[in-house]
Amino acid sequence: MTIELRKLTKRFGSLTAVDAIDLTVDDGEVLCLLGPSGCGKTTTLRMVAGLESATEGDVMLGGKRVNELAPREHNVEMSFQYYALYPSLSVAEHLAYPLHAEKLSASEINKRVAQVAKTLQLEKILRRTPSQLAEGEKQRVAVGRSIIRDPRCFLFDEPLSRLDVQLREEMRGEIKEVLQGLSRPTVIVTHDQLEALTMADRIAVMRDGRIEQVDTPHNVFQSPSNLFVAGFIGTPQMNLIRATLKGADGAGVAEFAFDGDQSLKIKVDPAVSRLSPGAKVTLGVRPRNLVMSAEPTEDSLSTKIDMVEPMGAETLAHMHDGYHSLRLVTDWRVPLAEGDHVHTRFPPNTTHIFTEDEQVLRSRP
Ligand code: ATP
């Protein structure tokens, strides 16, 4: 069973909420739709569930177009952030509830409840009602209720947004484990990148109704395909600095000039040799990849530390060179003080280059 979206589009009047997206989610795969508020994540999910009609394009489930079918016939399970549990029903009754409509025998229902309770470690609390449950247990009951019917695929809309930070961390792992064991396609909508990076097999990053990149969590982080994904994924945010290419050799050693007359020379992707001297680019470097040096080097910018933020094992330094702000993360033991002048070295190979059209410059696709 796969979910396949082909040129899927949704317009609300003059607003294009979802703009010709193509996406395939395979059996057993967990795909996270990630993007800022209003980018079209929920609308996409609702079209898969049949709760919203597509303006154009196809929703294919298991190779069959389902656009015209009623939501029930899509046979998908959609869970929302607000998991309403009935105060008078026990955990076992909540789990059994979706099965009553399927007209299963009592023994089959009991068997499935026992299976799901085991998967989600609810066996010891099957007789309890919601008022006797902790938040994480309620969340697990909600997940159990979603998976018990054995639908063709699972759709989750911000499943963890109601939970506190610690519980989210626990549940991310738990839900991922459960979903991996189900061999069904799953789509999770979230605006929380940590949730996407930890739970997804692949992430589709959305902006303004379009998919900007679909890739593994590792690749969207390490190899963003454009400026938007580079800036959206990763905390603290990637440094993105405007520069002008002075020149480059065939091996990718390039010199860049910055506002304020500073320049630096570093090895970047050899594709830089495709650009002409004078080309405007944006250099992207993760704060954890920048390195401090006491002495000036040909690959560094001279900067001043504005603010030092301790973050436990690491320290975040906010610095500037008079024209650009930079963020650098280093080990907490490195002594840093506001007002210090330091030289900030750009790393070879992990400095990304984005061209004027905001796309990454890369030799390999
Ligand atoms: P959020 O994370 O805030 O839920 P989202 O990425 O899920 O955002 P959608 O809810 O899909 O975004 O909305 C996409 C766009 O479509 C938004 O601009 C929203 O205002 C608009 N929209 C959604 N539903 C409707 C509707 N029924 N009528 C008109 N506009 C709508």
Side-chain angles (χ1 to χ4, degrees):
M1 186 21 225
T2 55
I3 302 172
E4 198 183 342
L5 311 181
R6 292 185 190 158
K7 299 269 170 287
L8 191 65
T9 300
K10 179 67 188 182
R11 289 190 207 99
F12 294 109
S14 61
L15 175 88
T16 305
V18 177
D19 194 359
I21 64 172
D22 290 308
L23 188 65
T24 302
V25 190
D26 288 323
D27 232 1
E29 183 179 32
V30 177
L31 180 122
C32 279
L33 285 178
L34 174 70
S37 184
C39 69
K41 307 180 293 291
T42 299
T43 305
T44 303
L45 206 66
R46 288 174 58 81
M47 286 193 281
V48 177
L51 299 170
E52 196 78 72
S53 62
T55 312
E56 279 161 29
D58 308 313
V59 177
M60 313 282 293
L61 296 180
K64 188 167 162 248
R65 188 180 137 101
V66 296
N67 291 48
E68 275 72 43
L69 299 184
R72 179 149 185 83
E73 294 171 88
H74 283 224
N75 190 16
V76 306
E77 179 65 39
M78 179 139 170
S79 315
F80 302 91
Q81 65 213 82
Y82 302 111
Y83 48 88
L85 300 181
Y86 302 102
S88 60
L89 294 190
S90 69
V91 170
E93 285 164 333
H94 274 102
L95 294 179
Y97 195 82
L99 299 179
H100 291 309
E102 313 244 307
K103 308 227 180 331
L104 297 178
S105 68
S107 68
E108 178 64 17
I109 290 178
N110 288 341
K111 200 173 115 201
R112 289 238 212 135
V113 167
Q115 262 171 4
V116 168
K118 184 160 182 253
T119 309
L120 289 162
Q121 292 162 21
L122 294 169
E123 292 154 304
K124 293 203 177 103
I125 53 170
L126 279 172
R127 300 285 145 234
R128 292 201 202 154
T129 53
S131 65
Q132 301 165 312
L133 298 176
E135 264 331 280
E137 291 167 339
K138 287 186 198 167
Q139 179 80 44
R140 288 214 291 274
V141 175
V143 171
R145 198 172 51 177
S146 305
I147 65 177
I148 199 155
R149 221 165 40 81
D150 197 22
R152 295 203 289 179
C153 59
F154 299 102
L155 310 175
F156 291 95
D157 195 353
E158 304 272 3
L160 304 180
S161 60
R162 264 177 44 148
L163 304 179
D164 66 37
V165 177
Q166 199 187 341
L167 209 48
R168 271 179 184 218
E169 214 169 283
E170 273 175 47
M171 291 303 297
R172 282 199 301 256
E174 279 186 25
I175 292 184
K176 179 160 190 186
E177 225 180 282
V178 170
L179 293 175
Q180 277 178 336
L182 294 174
S183 60
R184 293 276 184 277
T186 299
V187 182
I188 300 177
V189 158
T190 180
H191 64 270
D192 179 339
Q193 50 171 291
L194 201 57
E195 216 160 283
L197 289 166
T198 51
M199 292 174 76
D201 295 312
R202 282 189 309 152
I203 297 175
V205 183
M206 288 187 74
R207 171 172 64 160
D208 294 342
R210 288 171 179 267
I211 292 180
E212 296 280 335
Q213 183 170 0
V214 192
D215 227 321
T216 60
H218 177 82
N219 284 351
V220 287
F221 185 81
Q222 293 293 346
S223 310
S225 59
N226 58 47
L227 209 50
F228 174 76
V229 176
F232 189 72
I233 304 277
T235 29
Q237 203 191 16
M238 185 185 275
N239 294 293
L240 297 168
I241 304 151
R242 299 276 296 159
T244 305
L245 178 71
K246 283 172 106 174
D249 67 18
V253 177
E255 190 170 4
F256 299 95
F258 300 87
D259 288 343
D261 261 1
Q262 293 207 66
S263 62
L264 54 75
K265 211 172 188 179
I266 39 169
K267 178 154 171 44
V268 289
D269 194 295
V272 72
S273 62
R274 286 189 223 140
L275 299 180
S276 309
K280 301 284 180 209
V281 295
T282 300
L283 298 188
V285 189
R286 298 245 173 244
R288 284 185 178 80
N289 291 139
L290 286 173
V291 178
M292 250 182 290
S293 151
E295 302 301 323
T297 50
E298 70 170 12
D299 59 357
S300 69
L301 279 184
S302 163
T303 53
K304 184 171 162 226
I305 300 177
D306 291 325
M307 193 171 67
V308 176
E309 264 184 75
M311 302 194 301
E314 296 175 317
T315 304
L316 168 62
H318 296 267
M319 45 234 293
H320 73 88
D321 68 350
Y323 292 83
H324 315 93
S325 298
L326 286 162
R327 292 168 298 281
L328 177 148
V329 174
T330 186
D331 189 275
W332 71 276
R333 281 166 287 231
V334 176
L336 296 174
E338 284 160 25
D340 279 358
H341 288 272
V342 290
H343 299 278
T344 304
R345 299 181 68 179
F346 281 49
N349 300 320
T350 49
T351 299
H352 307 272
I353 299 177
F354 301 94
T355 49
E356 285 244 85
D357 62 359
E358 303 196 349
Q359 300 304 305
V360 76
L361 187 75
R362 199 176 289 149
S363 20
R364 279 176 292 115

